[in-house]
C-alpha cells in the first residue's frame, strides 16, 4: 500500500536516477569491452599458432570468431556513444524545461502586474496628482500673499525707507546713487548731515527774501 501511495518523483530526482542508470550501463559496457579485447588477443595468438602448424581449418574457425568478436566490440562502442548522446540530450531537455518554467513564471508575474497596474487607472491617478499639486501651489501662494498683507502695516514701508536712507547716508551714498564726499563716508555723520541740510535751507530762504526785495 505504501508503494501505491508513494509520491511521484520530481524531474530532478528522475534525472538523477536516469543518470545513475546510464553511468552503470557505461561501466558494464566498458567491462565487457575489456573482456572482448583480451579474448581478441587470445584468438589472434591461437590463429598464429594454428597457421604455424599448417592447420587451415582451425585458422578459418578462429578467424570467423575473431571477426564476430570485433563486430560485437564495435557494436559496444556504438551503444556507448548512443548512451552518452542520450545523457547529453537529457541534460539539454532539463535545461530547456528550466528555461520554459522560468518564462512561465515571468509571464504569470507580468500578468499579475498588468492586472494590478491598470494603465488607464494609473494615467488617471497621475492626472489627479498633477491637478491637486497645482491646487496646492496656488493655495500656498494665496496664503503667503494674505499673510504678507496682514503682517505688513502701513507705517512699515516708511520706516524701512527711513532706515535705508540713514544707512546710505552713513556709507556715503545718497538716494540717487551718487557718492558723497569722502570725509562723510565714516560712521557718526548723521548729525553733521542734518546741519548741512539746515544751512542749505537758510541759503534758500535768503535767496527768496532777496527776490522779494527786487
Amino acid at each position: 500500500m505504501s508503494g501505491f501511495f508513494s509520491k511521484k518523483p520530481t524531474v530532478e530526482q528522475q534525472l538523477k536516477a536516469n543518470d545513475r542508470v546510464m553511468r552503470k550501463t557505461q561501466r558494464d559496457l566498458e567491462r565487457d569491452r575489456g573482456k572482448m579485447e583480451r579474448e581478441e588477443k587470445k584468438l589472434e595468438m591461437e590463429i598464429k599458432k594454428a597457421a604455424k602448424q599448417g592447420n587451415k581449418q582451425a585458422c578459418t574457425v578462429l578467424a570467423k570468431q575473431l571477426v564476430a568478436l570485433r563486430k560485437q566490440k564495435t557494436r559496444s562502442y556504438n551503444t556507448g556513444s548512443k548512451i552518452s548522446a542520450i545523457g547529453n540530450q537529457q541534460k539539454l531537455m532539463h535545461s530547456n524545461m528550466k528555461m520554459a518554467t522560468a518564462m512561465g513564471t515571468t509571464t504569470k508575474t507580468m500578468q499579475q502586474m498588468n492586472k494590478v497596474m491598470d494603465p488607464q487607472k494609473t494615467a488617471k491617478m497621475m492626472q489627479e496628482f498633477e491637478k491637486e499639486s497645482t491646487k496646492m501651489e496656488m493655495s500656498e501662494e494665496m496664503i503667503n500673499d494674505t499673510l504678507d498683507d496682514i503682517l505688513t502695516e502701513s507705517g512699515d514701508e516708511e520706516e524701512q525707507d527711513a532706515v535705508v536712507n540713514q544707512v546710505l547716508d552713513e556709507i556715503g551714498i545718497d538716494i540717487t546713487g551718487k557718492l558723497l564726499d569722502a570725509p562723510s563716508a565714516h560712521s557718526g555723520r548723521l548729525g553733521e548731515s542734518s546741519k548741512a541740510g539746515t544751512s542749505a535751507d537758510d541759503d534758500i530762504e535768503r535767496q527768496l527774501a532777496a527776490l522779494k526785495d527786487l
Side-chain angles (χ1 to χ4, degrees):
M1 295 295 291
S2 60
F4 181 78
F5 291 102
S6 61
K7 293 182 180 179
K8 183 179 179 181
T10 63
V11 176
E12 295 286 346
Q13 292 173 343
Q14 188 63 51
L15 286 172
K16 289 181 179 180
N18 293 345
D19 192 49
R20 285 194 297 269
V21 171
M22 285 186 288
R23 285 202 302 268
K24 184 178 182 303
T25 304
Q26 288 283 28
R27 287 194 298 269
D28 293 340
L29 289 173
E30 290 175 0
R31 192 180 300 112
D32 291 340
R33 282 196 298 270
K35 292 179 180 180
M36 284 187 285
E37 287 175 356
R38 289 192 294 271
E39 185 66 23
E40 182 180 6
K41 291 180 180 179
K42 183 179 178 181
L43 287 173
E44 289 176 354
M45 291 176 64
E46 290 180 355
I47 291 172
K48 291 179 181 179
K49 184 179 179 181
K52 288 181 180 180
Q53 294 175 355
N55 191 346
K56 184 178 180 181
Q57 184 178 2
C59 288
T60 303
V61 173
L62 292 172
K64 288 182 180 179
Q65 291 178 6
L66 181 60
V67 171
L69 184 62
R70 288 178 176 176
K71 286 183 178 179
Q72 181 63 25
K73 190 173 68 172
T74 301
R75 283 194 289 266
S76 177
Y77 277 113
N78 291 336
T79 302
S81 299
K82 289 181 180 179
I83 291 175
S84 297
I86 292 171
N88 293 331
Q89 186 176 5
Q90 178 180 256
K91 292 177 181 178
L92 291 174
M93 289 177 63
H94 185 215
S95 178
N96 290 333
M97 287 176 62
K98 283 186 176 180
M99 288 189 290
T101 302
M103 292 174 65
T105 303
T106 305
T107 302
K108 290 180 180 179
T109 302
M110 289 190 296
Q111 289 175 349
Q112 292 175 356
M113 289 299 298
N114 287 331
K115 289 179 181 179
V116 175
M117 299 298 294
D118 186 1
Q120 295 180 353
K121 185 177 180 181
T122 303
K124 185 177 180 181
M125 289 171 59
M126 295 297 291
Q127 291 174 357
E128 291 293 333
F129 175 82
E130 188 69 22
K131 182 179 178 182
E132 296 301 324
S133 179
T134 303
K135 286 183 180 179
M136 183 176 292
E137 291 177 0
M138 293 176 63
S139 300
E140 182 181 2
E141 185 177 356
M142 292 175 64
I143 291 173
N144 290 336
D145 292 341
T146 304
L147 289 174
D148 290 340
D149 293 339
I150 293 174
L151 298 177
T152 302
E153 298 180 359
S154 59
D156 288 346
E157 293 183 2
E158 296 176 358
E159 184 178 354
Q160 291 175 3
D161 291 340
V163 173
V164 171
N165 291 334
Q166 182 179 353
V167 173
L168 292 175
D169 288 339
E170 289 179 356
I171 63 177
I173 302 176
D174 59 10
I175 299 299
T176 60
K178 295 180 180 179
L179 292 175
L180 296 179
D181 294 337
S184 62
H186 57 80
S187 61
R189 306 293 293 178
L190 292 177
E192 295 180 5
S193 297
S194 61
K195 290 180 181 179
T198 304
S199 177
D201 292 340
D202 292 341
D203 291 338
I204 293 173
E205 290 180 0
R206 284 196 296 270
Q207 291 177 6
L208 290 175
L211 290 174
K212 290 180 180 178
D213 293 337
L214 293 176

